[in-house]
Amino acid sequence: MSAVLDALAALGAGGIAVLRRIGRASLLFVAMAAGVGELLRKPGLVVAQLYGIGVLSVLLIAVAGLFVGMVLGLQGFYILSQFSAEATLGVMVAASLVRELGPVVTALLFAGRAGSALTAEIGLMKATEQLSGLEMMAVDPVRRVLTPRFYAGVLSMPLLTAMFSALGVLGGYFVGVGLLGVDGGTYWAQIEAKIDFSEDIVNGVIKSLVFGVVCTWIALYQGYDTLPTSEGVSRSTTRTVVHSALAVLGLDFILTALMFGN
Amino acid sequence: MRNTRQVEILVGLFMVAGMVALFFLAMKVSNLAAVSGGKGYSLTARFDNIGSLKVRAPVKMAGVRIGQVGKIGFDNETYEAVVTMKIEQRYDRIPDDSFAKIYTAGLLGEQYIGIDPGGSETWLEDGGHFNLTQSSLVLEDMISQFLFNKASEGGKKNEDPFAK
């Protein structure tokens, strides 16, 4: 009998712990969202974070976008040429990039490149009691440290995604038109005819905004909520990448179903 | 860490590059440039069967895109499809006895509306109506018609079915 009660208690404790984490994460989100007014008065804080989160990610995103586009060009050409429909290569490359691959791959790379760095930075600040030090000086660490990073992440993601997709379309063009002999005019004309601005581009931007919010939020929460030990920081960093990847993939399915499922 | 000014310049460059990429996607990779001439006037036409015509399908005259399909409705009284087209303002000289037909691009491609100009001296205006229309050709109807023709020719042997 007591074994059953123990099992029940363990289950309950686990459930309460999960709810606590969700609650803390939500409170952090509300606090960061409410901090936007203060940031408008001190935009310098966001600019400094945009450098670390956005600018330093450009090289990775640009190279990844170019190569993903080039691979799409190669694979798409191989399949489409079996139906002698090479003319639609551009549509295939652009549609898959703008709708799915751009937002998702950018978010995954962003979680690995910028999200893990954010978690480690905030986690180490907590472990070395810098955040407590700020509180001692009557400075709110959420307002001063976390909120600028949050908005820098949210702002960076759509821009990085746009770069990824644009370079991917160009990569597909280099391979399709340059190497495989698809007609260049047809490549662009088909894209322009078939890709819709509000349906494809805007939905892609909305996706990337959602992913930006989620990835940055997870990274900051994991850092802020970390165990203040070296092992705790290491675990939080791992969790950031895993949780972000799972959240992005799951949300992508839901968003796609909502946007394109009719 | 670099000094603040360099950071600011790099962040500025980052923002500009992102905006340029978005602009490139909007103008070059989507149909925004083609649609953005939002001003236009609408015309309607009734068809017995619109096949697989979709909203935003092109409306063409002599093969040139002059507008797009705005709305597709159904008339409960006459059992006809009512297609509303948005025509760009600069193409405002469509004779009121023009013929609206549904064509298919390629054998199995997407469908669009082609307009054959009539000879009238008065032009269709906003809210105007095409009186002469031709429905889309449904592949199944064509095949069954072909088979019926073949069957009725059953007696005459070894005749080339494409002769006429």
Side-chain angles (χ1 to χ4, degrees), chain A residues 233-246:
Chain A
V233 174
S234 123
R235 257 198 246 152
S236 297
T237 313
T238 310
R239 246 185 270 148
T240 294
V241 177
V242 173
H243 288 190
S244 302
L246 292 177

Side-chain angles (χ1 to χ4, degrees), chain B residues 10-25:
Chain B
L10 284 168
V11 170
L13 271 178
F14 166 68
M15 307 279 276
V16 169
M19 297 294 177
V20 167
L22 258 180
F23 185 74
F24 169 79
L25 287 176

Side-chain angles (χ1 to χ4, degrees), chain A residues 5-17:
Chain A
L5 283 179
D6 280 352
L8 264 181
L11 191 66
I16 290 171

Side-chain angles (χ1 to χ4, degrees), chain A residues 47 50-51 54-55 58 94 98 155-156 159-160 162-163 165-166 170 188 191-192 194-197 199 201 205, chain B residues 1-2 6-8 10-11 14-15 17-19 21-22 24-33 35 56 110:
Chain A
V47 170
L50 269 174
Y51 177 75
V55 175
V58 166
V98 171
L155 214 65
S156 296
L159 298 175
L160 290 170
M163 289 180 206
S165 301
L170 285 178
W188 293 118
I191 288 180
E192 272 183 48
K194 295 281 162 58
I195 304 289
D196 185 58
F197 179 72
E199 188 160 319
I201 310 272
V205 172
Chain B
M1 196 72 184
R2 297 163 191 241
Q6 268 177 316
V7 166
E8 278 172 356
L10 284 168
V11 170
F14 166 68
M15 307 279 276
M19 297 294 177
L22 258 180
F24 169 79
L25 287 176
M27 301 316 286
K28 196 71 192 169
V29 179
S30 81
N31 57 357
L32 184 66
V35 176
R56 282 204 305 273
E110 69 167 345

Side-chain angles (χ1 to χ4, degrees), chain B residues 62-78:
Chain B
V64 179
R65 187 193 169 101
I66 60 166
Q68 61 178 354
V69 173
K71 202 171 74 185
I72 295 174
F74 181 71
D75 188 334
N76 257 331
E77 304 285 317
T78 58

